[in-house]
Amino acid sequence: MTDVQTETPAAPEVAVAPKANPVAWPLGLAGVVLVIVGSFLSWSYDGTILNDLSIDFFPGGLQILAIVIAVLSLVLLLAAKGPLAALGSWLDATLGLRTFGTGLVLYMALVLVAISVESEGLINVNPGGYVTLVGALLIAVSGWLLPLRQLRNMKAAKLPGWVDILAIAVLMGSLLFLAAYALGLEDAWSFILCLVFIATAATGLFRTGAMSWVAQAGQRNRKVLTLASFAVAFLFPFTQDGSDANMSIATSVLVFAATAMGLNIVVGLAGLLDLGYIAFLGSGAYVAATLSQSAFATIGWKPPFLVVVLVGALVAMLLGLVIGSPTLRVSGDYLAIVTLGFGEIFRFAMFNLDGNNGPNLTNGPNGIPGIPDLELFGFNFGAVHHPFGIELGRFSNYYFLLLILTGGVILVFSRLNNSRIGRGWVAIREDEKAAEAMGVNVFGLKLLAFAVGAFLAGLAGTIKAHQDGAVSPDQYIFLESAFLLAAIVLGGMGTIAGVLLGATILKLLPEKLRFFSEYRLLLFGITLVLMMRFRPEGLVASRRRQLEFHEDDEHLAEVVENELVEEAK
């Protein structure tokens, strides 16, 4: 007789939340106290470096930034265990503390390195610097000792509408303050440390989930977010105290951003790799120069600037159609080579139209200097103005004009992106053969993308010529096209915020880090390699684009599907 053994069903496993290390919370709290106390003490014996961190009980700008990170860490500690525990069920305090602590350790390490390099030795570091570094280490250790927890979905948070608007206002105000502070830093080390602070704060807030909720608030109040963004951009020149140096950088960023937004239509939406796009910007600039009041202008017709803008944009669009018509039947690497050749042809044509090798239109390599400042409706863009008693110089005037242009370009891009044409471009980008099989006019839409992108670049070029005061062929080399493309890849193809961010980074950093100019291309290459490895979708990527590079992420796929369902409703 065989014994029959019956298996009793195993009891279901119950997920038990991991317990926090009992020393984690006290360590974090001690770290916050040490960072704040240390920031009120002197960091450096030499008061001439890092904007003077040598005074006790009078924290400098960099010390205040450390205090800000400490306060954010304190909020997360109180959310993990304390009076803000209800907030802790929504925010990931553990990941936030890890990010804030690690970033602050890096920040303080760079502070010590900067003081050592600038004043020849760590002996010039005062006790406050070491106290703050120890505090940062304690915050980081506390974050790594705290366990990860299952959180609620931030999208489910229901708060009054005024809280959403307040969050948007705080975010925009913080961006305005940080932009004004960062551009006001003339010392390269101080600027680098400010960038580390911004990266730490932004990454930490994203990892806690706070920025996800702010993004949802922005989606619920899109008009408020748009108005707030342009209000901050409009107010920026009023924070610069008439500084032409900073406003010159800001205007360069806007020209670069408006041009990159046009290229974003070609590359980001339609998926057409254009390596000669800078030629369209140059064509608009040369049209404005030759029709200007400059003594070196070669065309006698001097129409009003509004007519010049239209002519320059149409000429650029015509060039887009000329280069697009015979070449858009090829794709991929072949299209890239053709457009690269077009960019070089344009530059050499500007060299040769000097009266010797061809008609005298561009003065050859000498270009067209002496382009006068614009004057529209009695407003002289070259004069200094004092609205509300605040000095606004020449570059501030052009900044406002370029801001209007950038707003118009963004409006065109967003309307096209959300239209039937935009969906056709995306279909071509995803699979050209499948789009053609479904009845999409592939060649017509590709040609339209080239024409619209060229038109927008031509608009930016006409203003750039007057802002720079001169045009020459050397301004429109292949490297500029490469940087435009890099801004889109770095920021996020097919997005507005991503391209603006990418353009700002690639234009701002070289200007503020001139001591690193010899290694500019090396740093640029390393950045792109790291981006392609760790975040190929860009810094600010759309959910669909993100899913293309992370097909195995089931959670992301579920999020995208839910968003598409919400949009359909």
Side-chain angles (χ1 to χ4, degrees):
M1 189 172 180
T2 306
D3 293 335
V4 178
Q5 296 181 351
T6 58
E7 295 183 2
T8 57
E13 295 183 3
V14 179
V16 179
K19 294 183 179 180
N21 192 306
V23 301
W25 196 80
L27 277 179
L29 197 59
V32 169
V33 172
L34 287 178
V35 169
I36 294 176
V37 171
S39 297
F40 274 89
L41 299 176
S42 170
W43 283 3
S44 171
Y45 178 79
D46 188 350
T48 63
I49 61 176
L50 298 181
N51 294 328
D52 194 1
L53 305 177
S54 62
I55 305 175
D56 287 325
F57 309 112
F58 190 78
L62 297 178
Q63 291 167 313
I64 291 175
L65 297 184
I67 293 174
V68 171
I69 295 294
V71 171
L72 291 174
S73 300
L74 177 62
V75 171
L76 294 181
L77 283 168
L78 296 178
K81 178 184 177 182
L84 300 180
L87 185 63
S89 63
W90 298 94
L91 296 180
D92 196 330
T94 302
L95 288 179
L97 280 172
R98 292 176 183 178
T99 305
F100 289 146
T102 305
L104 193 54
V105 169
L106 175 62
Y107 181 87
M108 290 308 303
L110 287 176
V111 167
L112 300 189
V113 170
I115 295 174
S116 176
V117 170
E118 294 292 323
S119 59
E120 300 180 354
L122 284 172
I123 193 173
N124 291 299
V125 179
N126 280 348
Y130 293 110
V131 171
T132 308
L133 177 60
V134 172
L137 287 169
L138 291 181
I139 294 174
V141 171
S142 172
W144 287 102
L145 290 178
L146 287 172
L148 296 172
R149 296 185 297 172
Q150 185 69 31
L151 303 174
R152 302 181 187 177
N153 186 358
M154 288 296 295
K155 293 182 180 181
K158 301 295 183 182
L159 293 173
W162 65 267
V163 177
D164 290 352
I165 296 175
L166 179 62
I168 293 172
V170 170
L171 176 63
M172 292 296 107
S174 301
L175 290 177
L176 177 61
F177 170 78
L178 284 174
Y181 177 74
L183 277 178
L185 295 173
E186 297 182 359
D187 177 62
W189 277 108
S190 297
F191 184 75
I192 291 174
L193 289 167
C194 184
L195 292 182
V196 173
F197 164 79
I198 293 173
T200 300
T203 305
L205 291 174
F206 271 107
R207 298 193 75 186
T208 60
M211 291 304 295
S212 298
W213 176 78
V214 174
Q216 289 298 314
Q219 288 294 324
R220 291 190 293 266
N221 303 271
R222 291 185 182 182
K223 293 182 179 179
V224 174
L225 179 61
T226 302
L227 289 175
S229 301
F230 276 95
V232 166
F234 178 82
L235 292 173
F236 175 73
F238 295 94
T239 66
Q240 296 304 301
D241 196 25
S243 171
D244 270 348
N246 290 341
M247 292 312 302
S248 173
I249 297 175
T251 53
S252 298
V253 168
L254 285 181
V255 170
F256 194 71
T259 310
M261 195 64 67
L263 180 59
N264 198 24
I265 293 176
V266 180
V267 177
L269 295 184
L272 306 173
L273 185 56
D274 187 347
L275 297 181
Y277 190 77
I278 195 66
F280 301 128
L281 179 71
S283 62
Y286 264 99
V287 167
T290 55
L291 298 180
S292 71
Q293 299 290 339
S294 170
F296 300 92
T298 55
I299 296 179
W301 183 41
K302 310 297 178 184
F305 180 69
L306 295 180
V307 176
V308 173
V309 168
L310 183 59
V311 173
L314 290 175
V315 168
M317 184 177 71
L318 180 62
L319 287 177
L321 293 173
V322 168
I323 185 62
S325 296
T327 60
L328 285 178
R329 298 192 184 278
V330 300
S331 59
D333 298 339
Y334 301 101
L335 179 61
I337 293 172
V338 171
T339 53
L340 171 61
F342 168 69
E344 291 301 296
I345 289 171
F346 171 81
R347 186 167 64 89
F348 283 112
M350 297 302 103
F351 271 114
N352 292 329
L353 296 177
D354 58 355
N356 295 322
N357 301 304
N360 186 17
L361 291 177
T362 65
N363 293 325
N366 296 322
I368 302 177
I371 301 174
D373 286 306
L374 289 174
E375 186 166 349
L376 292 175
F377 308 109
F379 183 86
N380 188 348
F381 283 79
V384 177
H385 301 276
H386 296 83
F388 311 109
I390 301 174
E391 180 180 339
L392 295 178
R394 175 179 181 271
F395 287 103
S396 296
N397 301 329
Y398 280 103
Y399 173 88
F400 289 120
L401 181 60
L402 287 166
L403 186 62
I404 295 172
L405 171 68
T406 305
V409 172
I410 291 174
L411 179 63
V412 171
F413 178 87
S414 61
R415 292 298 186 187
L416 287 173
N417 187 24
N418 296 324
S419 69
R420 186 176 177 181
I421 295 174
R423 290 193 293 272
W425 283 333
V426 172
I428 294 171
R429 184 191 71 193
E430 298 301 323
D431 193 324
E432 184 175 327
K433 297 298 182 183
E436 188 173 12
M438 294 299 294
V440 175
N441 185 355
V442 172
F443 179 76
L445 285 179
K446 288 165 69 173
L447 194 60
L448 179 62
F450 251 71
V452 173
F455 184 89
L456 297 178
L459 287 177
T462 56
I463 300 177
K464 176 178 169 59
H466 287 273
Q467 176 203 313
D468 294 344
V471 295
S472 64
D474 292 333
Q475 293 175 301
Y476 307 104
I477 58 177
F478 163 71
L479 191 59
E480 294 299 321
S481 292
F483 271 96
L484 284 170
L485 183 60
I488 297 173
V489 174
L490 179 65
M493 289 187 185
T495 64
I496 295 175
V499 172
L500 294 177
L501 179 61
T504 302
I505 291 174
L506 291 183
K507 269 297 179 184
L508 177 62
L509 293 188
E511 293 292 339
K512 299 299 290 186
L513 301 178
R514 289 185 176 273
F515 77 100
F516 206 68
S517 59
E518 294 182 2
Y519 306 98
R520 178 188 178 190
L521 293 180
L522 174 63
L523 180 63
F524 172 65
I526 292 174
T527 302
L528 286 184
V529 169
L530 292 176
M531 282 295 300
M532 293 302 99
R533 172 61 182 84
F534 297 105
R535 195 170 175 84
E537 68 271 21
L539 294 174
V540 183
S542 64
R543 289 294 191 184
R544 292 183 181 182
R545 191 74 178 170
Q546 212 170 4
L547 189 58
E548 292 176 15
F549 291 98
H550 303 281
E551 296 178 354
D552 298 332
D553 192 334
E554 296 181 359
H555 174 68
L556 179 60
E558 183 180 350
V559 170
V560 173
E561 183 179 355
N562 292 335
E563 289 183 354
L564 292 177
V565 171
E566 291 178 4
E567 289 179 5
K569 293 179 180 179

